[in-house]
Amino acid sequence: MEVLDTSIANVALPYMAGNLGSSNDESTWVLTSYLVSNAIVLPISGWLAGALGRKRFFIGCLGIFTVSSLLCGLAPSLGLLLLFRVLQGAGGGGLQPMAQAILADTFPPQQRGLAFALYGITAIMAPTIGPTLGGWITFNYSWRWIFFINLPVGVITWFLVRRFVEDPPYLTRLKSAGVKLDYVGIALLTLGIGALQVLLDKGQEDDWFGSRFITTLVVVATVCLISLVIWEWFQKAPIIDVRMFKSFNFASSCLMMFTLGILLFSALVLMPQFLQTLLGYTSQLAGLALSAGGLVLLFEMPIMGQLTTKLQARYLIAFGWLALSIAMFYSTQRIDLQISFKAAVLLRIAQVIGLGFLFVPISLVAYIGIAPEKNNAVAGIVNFMRNMGSSVGTSLVTTLIARRSQFHQARLVEYARPDNPNFQNTVNGLAERFAHSGLGTNEALSRAYAQIYRTLQNQAASLAYIDTFMVLAVGAAIMFCLTFVLKKNHPGAGHVALE
């Protein structure tokens, strides 16, 4: 439900704006406010779990998330809705990493893959079904119900956690030892991550460095995050244990999870956007085209859990990146303005096959060589990297589509010249057809030019999508090469091979 809330509100924004008396631009802060508070809590969730106790922290996050979901659904104004979304994002920020850390502590290393596979279904499936489910709920009921559906799940989970989850002994010792509050670290993290998240969300909308606001955010984010790393490196009890990045395996896993977030959310944005803006699909039909890929992942993830007990994680990761790179390259060859619904479904299936081979093994590799006391911190940082990757991916896609569309339009316009006989013949043919339908000569000619320009824009946008898929293919290929320097693990025993 928490991952679902990062994407389910997308399609409901126009309804929220109309119902609460705000503009569409103002309503986008409903998404940004959640993502900012969520991104701030994620990396420090390990520290908070150590300070408060994991069970207490998890229950607290569940309570905040559930109550704030109720308040979001009841919000009478946009200002209050944004406030409640900040609370909801803060409560939700502790749920993902704590759930993964509980699984890591509950299962021995050789069985973690099975547990992470079930966890991975939620992490990858939720963003896939979010827009479709949000659109269906909003259209048939009200946008407020996209928040109310969290209530029964939140209440049931709260009671189950109280009944079945207990803190491991090392966390009890850590809590009893007491934790010093790092005010400077918290301030740098809040400012840095908050500025970074807002600039990623609003950058393309405000023309990036053409906006003084975005430029200021870039400076703030850069200064604060660099200062945060330096400050935390020398702290005895850091809120983010940056020294874990000295482990090559952990650093590589974070980089891969960040890239996975980029590719996962980029494809989630690209396909429905292409189908709706250029092919005229409804949001429901575009959602159906994506749903087949979700079903493939639903069956693939449990199988992946079994494979992690038999094969080295790095081999599974290598296959996943290779499959993803090939699928993205195949997309550059298959995407066009005549693509059928069946072809779009098959293309989406090809794009998700590699994802199933990545999430679980990368999560496993992140824990190799890390002490059990760091499980909470590992889960928090790994999930943070995936979430930041999703923000970067969404921002990257929207920027590339806009900029490359402009580039290709400028190139294609060079052929739309009066001295080009092919162009002139097309204009005359269209004008003649419009004239036969009853339009005057001048109006028929204007209509012909307008249709050609619209076709040119669609072709330019289609080429921009091809360029974007090529960038994603190259990114996946680079990660494929990095896979082979990861440490070996013995699947049956769950430990790292020293050779």
Side-chain angles (χ1 to χ4, degrees), residues 193-478:
I193 297 300
L196 178 61
Q197 189 67 63
V198 172
L199 77 88
L200 289 173
D201 206 45
K202 299 291 184 181
Q204 175 58 26
E205 182 182 316
D206 292 349
D207 194 29
W208 292 105
F209 290 101
S211 164
R212 182 174 295 179
F213 174 62
I214 296 298
T215 304
T216 302
L217 290 178
V218 170
V219 173
V220 171
T222 303
V223 172
C224 288
L225 293 178
I226 292 176
S227 301
L228 175 68
V229 172
I230 296 172
W231 175 265
E232 295 299 293
W233 188 273
F234 296 101
Q235 293 299 302
K236 292 182 179 179
I239 56 169
I240 301 177
D241 192 352
V242 294
R243 287 187 290 270
M244 287 197 302
F245 285 94
K246 290 193 295 184
S247 166
F248 181 80
N249 241 48
F250 177 74
S252 300
S253 299
C254 287
L255 176 60
M256 288 185 177
M257 194 61 82
F258 178 78
T259 309
L260 177 60
I262 292 177
L263 290 165
L264 171 62
F265 275 78
S266 294
L268 279 174
V269 171
L270 282 172
M271 285 304 293
Q273 187 174 305
F274 177 82
L275 296 174
Q276 291 179 75
T277 58
L278 297 183
L279 302 187
Y281 281 40
T282 64
S283 58
Q284 185 175 4
L285 194 58
L288 287 174
L290 294 180
S291 61
L295 290 175
V296 170
L297 282 173
L298 191 62
F299 287 101
E300 188 179 7
M301 295 296 278
I303 296 173
M304 276 306 306
Q306 293 288 345
L307 288 177
T308 57
T309 66
K310 297 176 173 59
L311 298 174
Q312 283 189 37
R314 61 179 184 169
Y315 294 152
L316 297 174
I317 295 171
F319 178 82
W321 286 124
L322 181 62
L324 198 54
S325 181
I326 292 173
M328 294 302 172
F329 179 75
Y330 175 67
S331 299
T332 66
Q333 309 300 308
R334 194 66 189 87
I335 283 284
D336 57 51
L337 297 175
Q338 279 77 46
I339 189 171
S340 65
F341 177 81
K342 179 181 177 181
V345 170
L346 294 176
L347 188 59
R348 180 58 188 161
I349 290 174
Q351 291 172 358
V352 303
I353 288 175
L355 294 175
F357 283 83
L358 293 172
F359 184 87
V360 178
I362 291 175
S363 297
L364 285 175
V365 167
Y367 289 88
I368 293 178
I370 302 293
E373 305 85 64
K374 302 288 186 182
N375 282 353
N376 292 321
V378 170
I381 294 175
V382 167
N383 281 276
F384 168 74
M385 297 301 291
R386 190 186 77 248
N387 275 30
M388 290 310 300
S390 69
S391 296
V392 171
T394 304
S395 183
L396 174 71
V397 164
T398 53
T399 302
L400 280 175
I401 294 297
R403 301 296 169 91
R404 296 302 293 177
S405 292
Q406 294 170 353
F407 170 81
H408 287 297
Q409 183 174 321
R411 298 286 81 77
L412 291 174
V413 164
E414 295 174 0
Y415 296 94
R417 303 188 312 270
D419 60 339
N420 185 334
N422 291 329
F423 172 70
Q424 204 58 53
N425 290 337
T426 303
V427 171
N428 294 335
L430 286 171
E432 186 176 346
R433 186 188 309 168
F434 288 133
H436 286 160
S437 66
L439 297 177
T441 303
N442 290 334
E443 189 177 354
L445 190 61
S446 297
R447 184 75 65 85
Y449 278 119
Q451 182 163 325
I452 290 174
Y453 182 58
R454 186 162 51 248
T455 302
L456 185 147
Q457 284 182 309
N458 288 342
Q459 291 287 353
S462 180
L463 290 170
Y465 280 95
I466 291 173
D467 291 347
T468 306
F469 275 116
M470 181 60 76
V471 170
L472 299 180
V474 172
I478 293 173

Side-chain angles (χ1 to χ4, degrees), residues 20-53:
L20 299 175
S22 59
S23 67
N24 285 331
D25 286 343
E26 290 172 336
S27 68
T28 60
W29 284 99
V30 172
L31 304 178
T32 306
S33 58
Y34 181 92
L35 292 173
V36 168
S37 61
N38 193 268
I40 291 171
V41 173
L42 267 171
I44 63 172
S45 57
W47 178 83
L48 289 170
L52 304 175

Side-chain angles (χ1 to χ4, degrees), residues 125-142:
M125 285 288 292
T128 306
I129 66 173
T132 306
L133 179 62
W136 182 83
I137 291 174
T138 302
F139 182 77
N140 290 282
Y141 298 97
S142 165

